[in-house]
Amino acid sequence: MKFGGSSVADAEKIRRCADVVRAQQEKHQVVTVVSAMGGVTDLLLELAEAAGSGNRSVKYTLLAEIRRRHEEAAAELGVMEKVEPLLANLETLVAGIVAVGELTPRSRDAVVSHGEQLSAILTAAALDGRAMTGQEVGIVTNDQHGEAEPLMNLSLYQIHENLEPLMANGERIVVTGFLGATQHGVISTIGRGGSDYTATLLGAALKADEIWICSDVDGLMTADPRNVPGAQLLDQITFAESIEMGQFGAKSMHPRALEPSAEHKIPVRVRSSFNTDCPGTLITETAPTTATMRSVLLLKNVALINVAGAAMVGRPGTAAKVFAALAEAEVNVQMISQTVSEAGISLVVAESQLPRARAVLEGQLLRTNAAKRVEVDEHVAVVAAVGSGMRGSVGVAARIFGALSDASINIEAIAQGSSELSVCLVVKGDDGPGAVRAIHDAFGLGGA
Amino acid sequence: MRIFVVGYGVVARSFIDLLEAQQSVLYQQQGLSPRLVGVCDSTGAAVSERGLSADELRAAKESTGTVAGVAGHGVRTVDAAQLIAECDADIVVEASPSQMSTPGRSIENLKAAFRTGKHAISVNKAPLAAAMPAMLELAEFNGVQFRFSGTVGGGTPVLNVARECARGDEVTMVRGIFNGTTNFILWKMHSEGLDFDTVLKEAIDLGYAETDPSADIDGVDAATKVVILANYVLGRPATIGDVKVEGIRGLPRERIEEAAQRGNHLKLIGEIGEALSVAPQEVPIGDPLDVPASLNAITLSLKASSDITLIGRGAGGIETATSVMRDLLDIWNVIGGRS
Ligand SMILES: NC(=O)c1ccc[n+]([C@@H]2O[C@H](COP(=O)([O-])OP(=O)(O)OC[C@H]3O[C@@H](n4cnc5c(N)ncnc54)[C@H](OP(=O)(O)O)[C@@H]3O)[C@@H](O)[C@H]2O)c1
């Protein structure tokens, strides 16, 4: 069971998490993984940056805030003596960074790691269990600090070796999420997917029956309920669908975090920490397909770029030039699409990356006459319909178009998702929420 | 090339002798001048920058019971992993006992070697049985070579031949007799009509079987070789837990007699097909796998070509030492050799 930061935000919540774990331990063997207390990772990052630029005052206010939150919780849970050394260690570390005046990725990881180390100690106290770091359980990573990649086979083997005997002894183990260590024993953080990734790694190593990702949401939904009031909780979906939903920013799991569980076929349950009556969403290798479509997602704050012009026709290599230019400018192309109206290449990028993308495309393509025009539509939204049931099912596109035309929504472009599991449409930014509702309704995702 | 050897038993000594005996040939033909910079046994170690000789090691072991008795170079420690990490070797040879139920110690030795950029040769089967995918991964991550040809077939180059067969074709199935002790027992039971316990006792007396023969007769040793072949030849990331194992402990003589009536011999067969398994199976008399005494045999079934069978002795200290030597030369060639 993994608990997100908001679930372990203070002593009271930590106690409730411990109760939830204890209840499950009546029937199951449980290993717990925790994130840092809500907001603490951001504070630590800010602290690290401030220390790196020699900013002493921010350092003190931030440190004091971090200290206050953990000391309060520690006092309530009665583990002051275990928390103090870690806080003192953090202070020394920060003082060292200030003195050197330079923040390395390695020292940033060392600072940030305190969040999970502290929350694991607090949770272990509430659970009367044993706190262990990612390093202690055996997670070994490469030395890409901040975005470290676990050495998968070695980590799986070591986790198994280290945890099995403790579990056989009936120990209640609480593991820091997000953390590993290099083979030389230097603490590293595993970046994207964070604590969820730790949980799936542990689940795969221990051949768990299920991996539970507990947070403040009930599970995965057919759509964002703030936009679609009738949105329903999804009972069960496949790994592939969940990964696809993650690509479109669903409040689900990071695709990378699902890799170990998908590979070892261990079901993942996304559920609420405290609303324990709700079973959440089960993610499995295969799931019964009752609906054509699972979920409709909305990607906001994106822009559409259309590279067009006669020169492109019969000129092989233009597309390659477009992508090379964007890659050089480190623009992340979120989607490639075909415009309905006109020949050319259309791309969807984050609004924040638009100026860079535009500049590099204009500079490299217009000047050389490789393309005639670079047109930009700044305010668009991508609507993504995800579901493996759409594969090979006829008339899906027609139904989507029908639903949108009934709602008087104009489709600017149809985009190809990264697999057959999704259909993506680009619409005017203001039309986004309405388009989601229209498709959601048309496919009856809101239930009977 | 500086070498550190973990273990000073039959295999290690044979290898060290071979190194000395081949010294000039290795230099003339391969440009290789190996130097033994450290050896450890269960209670201590001898470490020397300038190199250790076979004679001084043997003398120290005989007179003091440990290689740590080498005058001026002895280290009284049992922490092999630390020695490995701190020594100045280029290659570590792991030749300590294959402790199947506690592989952790030898795994730490290999990790220490890889982490500090040293190549490794293992004749120790335990780390491979328990964690071969992890060991291969760590070696690759650190850009070092890892060889273990002595673990399967002793001196018979089973792994290299098997891999050679797989080149340009596809190995669809591997079946073999991977344990000499059990083959000896089954063969004797059949040819002399004796029962299991009698033959086992004889095998122990003859030195064919260990005083604790569990790893052999319970099929664990054969399963280990199945794991190594599956990883190395077929690229399947398996460990011993993935092998379905049935040994021959207490096998009733009737099973052998029944097999004979059907024109078969009962053999302990390791198999890599859809699944990985070790179990007593009947083999037609005269089949390439129908090998006598303590011989080992392996049959590779190939997709395009026909079956290939390799037969040879599966163990022996000197034989196994030659496989370590081959591994050493392999590594020497991969890392640039004569340059
Ligand atoms: N012999 C073969 O035919 C054959 C074939 C293939 C593979 N192998 C494998 O090769 C390895 C060595 O076999 P062997 O026949 O040479 O065995 P051996 O004669 O029993 O020798 C084992 C050696 O390892 C040492 N040792 C024990 N524990 C140790 C520790 N914790 N750290 C360092 N050294 C330790 C022993 O020290 P002491 O001298 O102090 O007792 C001894 O010198 C085994 O893993 C075996 O499975 C052997």
Side-chain angles (χ1 to χ4, degrees):
Chain A
M1 293 171 76
K2 175 256 166 181
F3 292 96
S6 60
S7 303
V8 292
D10 56 40
E12 206 262 332
K13 289 199 168 131
I14 288 174
R15 279 216 181 91
R16 285 174 66 192
C17 288
D19 289 340
V20 171
V21 173
R22 253 192 234 104
Q24 291 304 325
Q25 266 164 341
E26 313 251 305
K27 294 160 281 177
H28 308 290
Q29 280 185 297
V30 181
V31 172
T32 310
V33 175
V34 289
S35 300
M37 290 169 87
V40 164
T41 299
D42 287 341
L43 286 174
L44 285 165
L45 277 171
E46 214 183 309
L47 175 68
E49 293 299 336
S53 56
N55 181 341
R56 277 160 216 269
S57 58
V58 179
K59 184 194 104 183
Y60 285 117
T61 50
L62 288 168
L63 252 181
E65 170 68 4
I66 291 164
R67 187 172 264 288
R68 183 190 61 76
R69 287 194 55 190
H70 290 102
E71 282 180 347
E72 263 176 36
E76 272 198 50
L77 296 165
V79 274
M80 206 55 123
E81 81 289 352
K82 286 195 183 149
V83 161
E84 277 307 330
L86 265 177
L87 289 170
N89 186 42
L90 175 63
E91 228 155 274
T92 316
L93 186 61
V94 168
I97 296 170
V98 172
V100 181
E102 192 199 350
L103 181 68
T104 62
R106 177 175 162 162
S107 53
R108 182 191 286 115
D109 273 359
V111 170
V112 171
S113 76
H114 282 77
E116 279 76 14
Q117 293 189 56
L118 286 160
S119 69
I121 286 177
L122 295 169
T123 310
L127 199 55
D128 196 11
R130 171 207 279 250
M132 293 177 82
T133 62
Q135 177 175 20
E136 284 164 342
V137 298
I139 299 175
V140 180
T141 72
N142 64 9
D143 30 31
Q144 202 69 42
H145 285 279
E147 191 65 45
E149 205 57 63
L151 297 182
M152 196 55 82
N153 290 322
L154 183 60
S155 299
L156 291 175
Y157 169 73
Q158 298 199 136
I159 292 167
H160 184 266
E161 287 304 293
N162 292 330
L163 290 189
E164 281 287 333
L166 298 177
M167 289 174 69
N169 256 345
E171 292 220 35
R172 300 198 178 104
I173 301 158
V174 182
V175 180
T176 58
F178 193 48
L179 308 183
T182 69
Q183 58 179 343
H184 305 290
V186 181
I187 288 187
S188 55
T189 65
I190 56 180
R192 296 164 299 132
S195 299
D196 292 353
Y197 198 7
T198 305
T200 54
L201 213 54
L202 262 55
L206 299 171
K207 300 195 167 47
D209 295 321
E210 282 188 16
I211 297 160
W212 289 7
I213 303 297
C214 309
S215 69
D216 50 6
V217 298
D218 277 337
L220 304 179
M221 308 286 289
T222 55
D224 184 346
R226 283 169 305 184
N227 174 33
V228 184
Q232 301 285 314
L233 186 72
L234 290 160
D235 296 336
Q236 196 175 353
I237 62 171
T238 66
F239 284 118
E241 288 169 333
S242 175
I243 288 168
E244 193 76 7
M245 286 168 70
Q247 311 263 2
F248 296 109
K251 203 180 174 193
S252 63
M253 292 181 62
H254 194 283
R256 182 182 186 226
L258 278 170
E259 279 168 21
S261 44
E263 188 172 326
H264 295 265
K265 301 188 172 55
I266 309 230
V268 173
R269 194 179 284 281
V270 178
R271 64 183 308 171
S272 157
S273 301
F274 304 129
N275 180 13
T276 45
D277 293 336
C278 174
T281 304
L282 190 65
I283 309 174
T284 48
E285 170 83 355
T286 55
T289 311
T290 50
T292 329
M293 196 180 283
R294 296 275 190 215
S295 182
V296 190
L297 302 146
L298 182 61
L299 208 57
K300 287 185 284 201
N301 302 326
V302 290
L304 182 68
I305 303 175
N306 187 21
V307 182
M312 291 182 63
V313 178
R315 272 244 205 147
T318 306
K321 274 189 198 138
V322 169
F323 294 113
L326 291 171
E328 197 182 301
E330 292 184 2
V331 171
N332 183 14
V333 178
Q334 304 201 325
M335 221 162 286
I336 305 156
S337 75
Q338 267 167 330
T339 38
V340 181
S341 52
E342 167 173 6
I345 302 170
S346 297
L347 311 156
V348 174
V349 302
E351 227 166 31
S352 58
Q353 297 192 328
L354 178 63
R356 246 192 301 159
R358 184 181 206 163
V360 72
L361 287 177
E362 288 179 349
Q364 300 203 359
L365 293 165
L366 294 189
R367 207 154 27 86
T368 58
N369 258 335
K372 282 264 187 305
R373 291 188 306 280
V374 174
E375 297 157 343
V376 165
D377 195 340
E378 298 194 11
H379 190 56
V380 298
V382 172
V383 177
V386 176
S388 50
M390 296 190 304
R391 194 180 296 165
S393 155
V394 279
V396 172
R399 274 165 80 191
I400 293 177
F401 296 153
L404 293 187
S405 107
D406 288 348
S408 312
I409 292 170
N410 198 24
I411 302 171
E412 304 217 336
I414 302 163
Q416 285 174 307
S418 52
S419 72
E420 302 174 63
L421 295 172
S422 63
V423 170
C424 309
L425 308 163
V426 180
V427 299
K428 285 254 175 280
D430 296 337
D431 287 341
V436 170
R437 281 192 294 272
I439 297 172
H440 195 267
D441 283 351
F443 284 82
L445 296 185
Chain B
M1 176 109 87
R2 296 158 302 177
I3 303 169
F4 187 101
V5 179
V6 183
Y8 189 61
V10 182
V11 175
R13 284 179 225 204
S14 306
F15 170 65
I16 291 168
D17 288 346
L18 196 57
L19 265 187
E20 280 199 6
Q22 300 275 317
Q23 190 101 25
S24 63
V25 177
L26 289 174
Y27 184 71
Q28 282 163 15
Q29 295 185 353
Q30 313 272 345
L32 173 62
S33 40
R35 182 157 30 113
L36 192 62
V37 295
V39 178
C40 73
D41 57 26
S42 66
T43 48
V47 180
S48 166
E49 268 290 307
R50 66 163 172 83
L52 298 157
S53 75
D55 283 344
E56 64 183 332
L57 286 164
R58 186 166 285 122
K61 183 78 179 175
E62 271 167 20
S63 60
T64 67
T66 167
V67 291
V70 175
H73 297 290
V75 185
R76 297 274 170 182
T77 173
V78 288
D79 193 345
Q82 194 186 346
L83 277 175
I84 290 168
E86 289 171 359
C87 75
D88 270 330
D90 304 300
I91 292 199
V92 172
V93 177
E94 212 328 323
S96 69
S98 296
Q99 291 160 326
M100 299 312 226
S101 52
T102 51
R105 181 184 59 77
S106 49
I107 287 176
E108 287 309 315
N109 289 347
L110 291 178
K111 278 168 62 184
F114 297 150
R115 183 174 71 229
T116 53
K118 300 177 177 86
H119 311 288
I121 297 168
S122 184
V123 288
N124 187 338
K125 287 162 274 190
L128 297 167
M132 186 156 173
M135 295 299 102
L136 292 171
E137 176 184 58
L138 195 59
E140 188 186 345
F141 176 69
N142 286 292
V144 294
Q145 296 292 316
F146 181 34
R147 297 294 152 111
F148 32 78
S149 52
T151 55
V152 183
T156 314
V158 173
L159 287 175
N160 286 336
V161 170
R163 208 182 221 190
E164 183 62 23
C165 292
R167 281 210 298 165
D169 200 338
E170 192 185 317
V171 175
T172 52
M173 165 95 121
V174 180
R175 293 178 79 224
I177 292 162
F178 300 125
N179 181 273
T181 307
T182 47
N183 200 57
F184 176 82
I185 293 173
L186 292 172
W187 175 69
K188 274 262 169 175
M189 284 173 76
H190 171 261
S191 55
E192 297 182 12
L194 301 170
D195 61 5
F196 180 83
D197 290 325
T198 315
V199 185
L200 176 60
K201 190 171 171 307
E202 186 186 335
I204 293 174
D205 291 344
L206 280 171
Y208 277 155
E210 308 279 324
T211 35
D212 176 7
S214 304
D216 290 332
I217 63 178
D218 290 335
V220 176
D221 181 68
T224 298
K225 290 157 183 174
V226 165
V227 167
I228 297 169
L229 283 160
N231 278 281
Y232 187 73
V233 181
L234 289 103
R236 284 205 226 161
T239 62
I240 192 123
D242 301 318
V243 189
K244 194 164 169 286
V245 189
E246 185 190 332
I248 60 161
R249 186 188 284 269
L251 187 96
R253 215 170 60 209
E254 293 75 61
R255 288 228 15 218
I256 296 195
E257 285 157 6
E258 285 161 24
Q261 279 160 19
R262 285 188 282 266
N264 296 332
H265 281 160
L266 197 67
K267 298 279 177 192
L268 185 63
I269 301 286
E271 190 171 298
I272 305 165
E274 288 276 288
L276 309 181
S277 66
V278 170
Q281 284 186 23
E282 291 184 20
V283 168
I285 292 174
D287 187 276
L289 286 184
D290 181 22
V291 291
S294 63
L295 283 176
N296 283 19
I298 177 172
T299 298
L300 296 134
S301 303
L302 303 172
K303 195 164 188 177
S305 159
S306 52
D307 287 4
I308 294 172
T309 299
L310 183 67
I311 298 171
R313 277 196 66 186
I318 294 166
E319 287 85 342
T320 306
T322 62
S323 78
V324 178
M325 186 62 93
R326 282 198 297 267
D327 284 349
L328 183 72
L329 289 172
D330 265 2
I331 294 177
W332 176 241
N333 285 327
V334 171
I335 64 177
R338 191 196 279 269
S339 58

